[in-house]
Amino acid sequence: MKLHQHHQGGRVLAGVLACTVILLFATAPAFSQTNSPNNTARYRDDKSAVVNLAIQAIQQLQAQQQTSLQATAEVAKSVASLRRVTLWMGGALAAGMLALVFYERRLVRALRQRALPRLPSPGAALVPQLLARGQALLSHNEAAAALARFDEALALEAGNADIHVKRGLALEQLGRFDDALASFEHALALNASLADAYVGKGDVLNRLERYQEALVCFDQAARLQPKPAEAVGLPA
């Protein structure tokens, strides 16, 4: 609003000065005819001064307009920059809130899992009995019946690596070497330090004539099995 009034005032001043110059030029012939040469020279000097004053006023007005335009452009740039910063901050804040909510949910879930006791399944007490029964059947070459007991135990406790090892032994005795190999590998996936699983896997690989792989398994089993001195608690 102030800039608009300033421009209007400048335009009025320029118009007045322009009218003054026009009147001076218009009355110059009459004034020169009715006055003396000295008055004529003075009038010309005054006319030149007025013209110069008008030119200076117009130049000042142009400079003020240029300054106003530059200031307006700078304000527009600042507003655009502020808008971009505001949008970026809003996006960052939203992302931060989402990350915080996600972290809180994970934290609450972890605390709940830690707070709740892990209760054994109702049939977990039957697993040792099933394994003992299956092992007894396996020692009497009743591999099919032993496999059935091991499968029952596996249904109650699928994450038990020992069950997978015994199941692999029963499958090997039945001649189902591919299934036995899968069972031993499953046991090692659950417990990579189980020497019996490497021995069983090596036996099956040997039957499948994959001798080099079998040697690797036997070597790994030998590394995992305790030495005689370690077994009785004596220094090696």
Side-chain angles (χ1 to χ4, degrees), residues 226-236:
K227 298 178 182 179
E230 295 175 354
V232 297
L234 297 177

Side-chain angles (χ1 to χ4, degrees), residues 202-218:
D203 287 337
V204 173
L205 290 172
N206 189 49
R207 289 176 179 272
L208 293 173
E209 298 182 355
R210 295 163 59 177
Y211 304 117
Q212 190 63 36
E213 297 176 65
L215 287 175
V216 173
C217 290
F218 292 144

Side-chain angles (χ1 to χ4, degrees), residues 52-231:
N52 291 333
L53 181 61
I55 292 173
Q56 291 177 2
I58 293 172
Q59 290 176 348
Q60 290 178 359
L61 178 61
Q62 291 176 346
Q64 291 174 357
Q65 289 177 344
Q66 185 65 26
T67 302
S68 299
L69 291 175
Q70 292 177 353
T72 303
E74 291 296 330
V75 171
K77 290 181 180 179
S78 299
V79 171
S81 299
L82 182 60
R83 184 177 300 171
R84 288 194 296 268
V85 171
T86 303
L87 292 175
W88 180 85
M89 291 180 64
L93 181 60
M97 292 297 294
L98 289 176
L100 181 60
V101 171
F102 178 73
Y103 174 77
E104 288 179 349
R105 288 181 178 177
R106 291 190 60 183
L107 181 60
V108 170
R109 189 181 301 115
L111 291 175
R112 286 179 178 176
Q113 292 177 353
R114 183 176 299 179
L116 293 176
R118 293 185 178 181
L119 299 176
S121 60
L126 299 176
V127 171
Q129 299 177 14
L130 291 171
L131 291 179
R133 180 58 180 165
Q135 188 65 40
L137 291 169
L138 192 62
S139 62
H140 288 84
N141 295 325
E142 298 182 20
L147 180 60
R149 302 292 83 76
F150 296 147
D151 286 340
E152 291 176 12
L154 191 64
L156 297 174
E157 198 172 343
N160 191 324
D162 290 330
I163 300 176
H164 288 279
V165 172
K166 296 183 183 301
R167 187 174 182 275
L169 294 173
L171 290 166
E172 181 183 2
Q173 198 173 104
L174 290 171
R176 295 167 55 182
F177 300 129
D178 291 333
D179 294 335
L181 181 61
S183 187
F184 289 127
E185 289 178 344
H186 198 161
L188 290 171
L190 294 171
N191 185 0
S193 62
L194 202 58
D196 291 341
Y198 280 106
V199 173
K201 182 179 179 181
D203 287 337
V204 173
L205 290 172
N206 189 49
R207 289 176 179 272
L208 293 173
E209 298 182 355
R210 295 163 59 177
Y211 304 117
Q212 190 63 36
E213 297 176 65
L215 287 175
V216 173
C217 290
F218 292 144
D219 182 66
Q220 186 64 28
R223 294 179 182 179
L224 293 172
Q225 287 178 342
K227 298 178 182 179
E230 295 175 354

Side-chain angles (χ1 to χ4, degrees), residues 17-39:
L17 291 175
C19 292
T20 303
V21 172
I22 293 172
L23 288 174
L24 287 173
F25 277 103
T27 56
F31 185 84
S32 61
Q33 292 177 1
T34 57
N35 292 280
S36 63
N38 291 334
N39 290 336

